[in-house]
Amino acid sequence: MSIRVISGTARGTKLKLVPGDSTRPIMDRVKESLFNIIGRDVLDSSWLDLFAGTGSVGIEAISRGAGYALLIDIEARAVRTMQDNLQATRLADRATVRKQDAFQLLRGRPERAFDFVYIAPPQYQHLWTKALEHLEANSGWVAENGQVIVQIDPTERADVGSKEFILVDERRYGSTLLQFFQRHAPEMTDMHESQTNAQVLSQLEILVDELIQQFAITSPPVPVERMLQDPKAGMWREIDIAQISMGFLKVTSPFSPRMSLARFLGRVIAQSDWAVSRGMPFMTDDDPIFQKFARMIVMPARMIQALGPSDRTPQLMSTYFEVPLEDASLRLEDLKSYST
């Protein structure tokens, strides 16, 4: 168990599971990553843990310095488990456990504005979108600068079109997706999106820089095929590129098949534990950020910066990196839009 204990608690206390729940190893990893992302913002914060189950998220928040947590679940056995866990960790004085339907709670008058609202409902029922809609209609439950954090299966991802909460980050950990929604003023939406995209892209540039160092790549062209077929230990499974469908490879210019392989490699990396453990955000193939990521892989910023200023043209980069002219041009535009 990853609970960091404060005064009066037993270090390493193991929480009881709700009967039938065997997901502890996976969820411990997700929870540890969650609080690494939140960092010091957890200090003195307040938490509303909906569909709380064992109460592990709310209890972890308190153990890391949160001031208060309200733990909600409609199941009697979950409520008993949470009460036992709070007693075991000696944190009961800073939490309230309540047997109540989450939607009934959210329809009521807000008891306080919480800094964090955690939504981890039963899977495949899209209850998280319903919960977010309730918060949209009754936003007093969330502090002005508060966050709503959603834990779902990646297949449940949906665009909710919220006016009150903006999606500022996503992290995928195997079959678990965390989404972070920030409460915002409507006029700030574009700025938040721009800042968030820049942060994600800078993070991806760092990941690619580590990648080329792992493979000891010092100059273009980047050996995409070798990276797919001969990954380093602990990265991803070996890929036989001979088995890749020819229909996948676009042949519109001399280097377009190579760019197709770069996108394939990007997909493999994005789904690997190696990348996820380094904070890889969840992306779909048609996500503009994914397209930028593929261009990063085949045209790493470190190698572009090593070129002389006169060589940083789409025409010369297309030759050096063996990529289509259009992608070389787009890569240069990408780099101009944020600092790495």
Side-chain angles (χ1 to χ4, degrees):
M1 185 62 197
S2 61
I3 285 185
R4 179 176 67 82
V5 184
I6 57 177
S7 60
T9 65
R11 181 173 295 276
T13 302
K14 290 187 177 181
L15 301 190
K16 288 175 62 178
L17 293 173
V18 174
D21 184 356
S22 60
T23 61
R24 172 180 282 158
I26 298 172
M27 295 319 302
D28 278 356
R29 175 187 169 199
V30 173
K31 186 171 54 184
E32 184 67 25
S33 299
L34 164 68
F35 285 100
N36 287 341
I37 293 167
I38 293 172
R40 295 183 61 82
D41 288 345
V42 73
L43 298 177
D44 299 320
S45 61
S46 56
W47 287 69
L48 173 57
D49 190 354
L50 301 170
F51 313 97
T54 64
S56 63
V57 170
I59 293 172
E60 182 81 10
I62 296 172
S63 78
R64 290 174 181 254
Y68 174 72
L70 173 57
L71 312 177
I72 302 294
D73 204 290
I74 199 171
E75 296 290 338
R77 63 179 182 175
V79 169
R80 289 193 298 270
T81 298
M82 287 189 281
Q83 291 169 337
D84 290 345
N85 284 336
L86 283 165
Q87 290 299 323
T89 54
R90 303 179 187 178
L91 298 171
D93 60 329
R94 283 190 283 151
T96 299
V97 178
R98 190 179 302 166
K99 182 179 181 295
Q100 186 175 2
D101 177 75
F103 303 116
Q104 180 187 44
L105 175 82
L106 296 180
R107 284 193 295 267
R109 181 177 179 179
E111 300 170 15
R112 65 184 294 169
F114 289 88
D115 298 305
F116 294 94
V117 176
Y118 199 78
I119 302 173
Q123 292 183 337
Y124 313 123
Q125 300 179 39
H126 286 280
L127 297 179
W128 77 270
T129 56
K130 183 178 178 182
L132 199 62
E133 288 168 1
H134 277 66
L135 289 171
E136 179 95 7
N138 200 4
S139 59
W141 285 105
V142 187
E144 287 188 9
N145 295 314
Q147 283 196 359
V148 176
I149 304 170
V150 175
Q151 175 193 310
I152 53 174
D153 186 278
T155 60
E156 294 183 90
R157 189 185 188 279
D159 294 326
V160 292
S162 173
K163 295 180 180 179
E164 189 70 30
F165 302 99
I166 180 172
L167 180 64
V168 296
D169 198 359
E170 288 186 324
R171 304 294 176 96
R172 182 172 179 173
Y173 305 91
S175 60
T176 299
L177 176 66
L178 290 180
Q179 292 188 309
F180 297 78
F181 292 87
Q182 185 86 35
R183 188 176 178 192
H184 66 95
E187 62 272 14
M188 299 294 286
T189 300
D190 291 342
M191 184 181 76
H192 281 306
E193 288 179 343
S194 176
Q195 290 175 339
T196 301
N197 286 343
Q199 291 169 356
V200 171
L201 291 169
S202 294
Q203 182 181 6
L204 291 175
E205 293 281 9
I206 292 170
L207 188 147
V208 169
D209 191 58
E210 180 180 350
L211 190 69
I212 64 170
Q213 290 185 61
Q214 288 271 0
F215 281 91
I217 305 166
T218 57
S219 59
V222 173
V224 177
E225 297 87 347
R226 175 165 65 85
M227 294 168 74
L228 280 167
Q229 296 180 113
D230 189 23
K232 302 299 180 181
M235 284 189 161
W236 50 83
R237 64 180 179 84
E238 297 177 7
I239 304 295
D240 183 358
I241 61 173
Q243 300 301 315
I244 298 176
S245 170
M246 290 304 295
F248 172 80
L249 302 176
K250 295 181 179 179
V251 188
T252 56
S253 70
F255 297 130
S256 57
R258 181 173 154 74
M259 197 65 221
S260 295
L261 282 177
R263 285 189 286 271
F264 185 84
L265 175 59
R267 184 188 309 160
V268 170
I269 293 172
Q271 296 174 352
S272 69
D273 288 343
W274 179 85
V276 169
S277 68
R278 287 158 173 76
M280 182 80 189
F282 175 67
M283 299 180 291
T284 59
D285 289 1
D286 57 354
D287 190 324
I289 290 181
F290 174 79
Q291 303 300 322
K292 294 175 189 288
F293 178 54
R295 291 194 288 271
M296 287 180 196
I297 295 170
V298 79
M299 292 174 278
R302 179 191 292 261
M303 293 184 190
I304 294 175
Q305 291 161 357
L307 297 175
S310 61
D311 291 335
R312 296 176 198 163
T313 66
Q315 292 78 11
L316 289 175
M317 281 183 52
S318 174
T319 301
Y320 293 150
F321 292 98
E322 297 183 359
V323 296
L325 181 62
E326 179 184 5
D327 287 286
S329 180
L330 288 171
R331 179 64 173 130
L332 288 172
E333 292 178 12
D334 294 344
L335 284 170
K336 290 178 182 177
S337 65
Y338 61 92
S339 59
T340 61

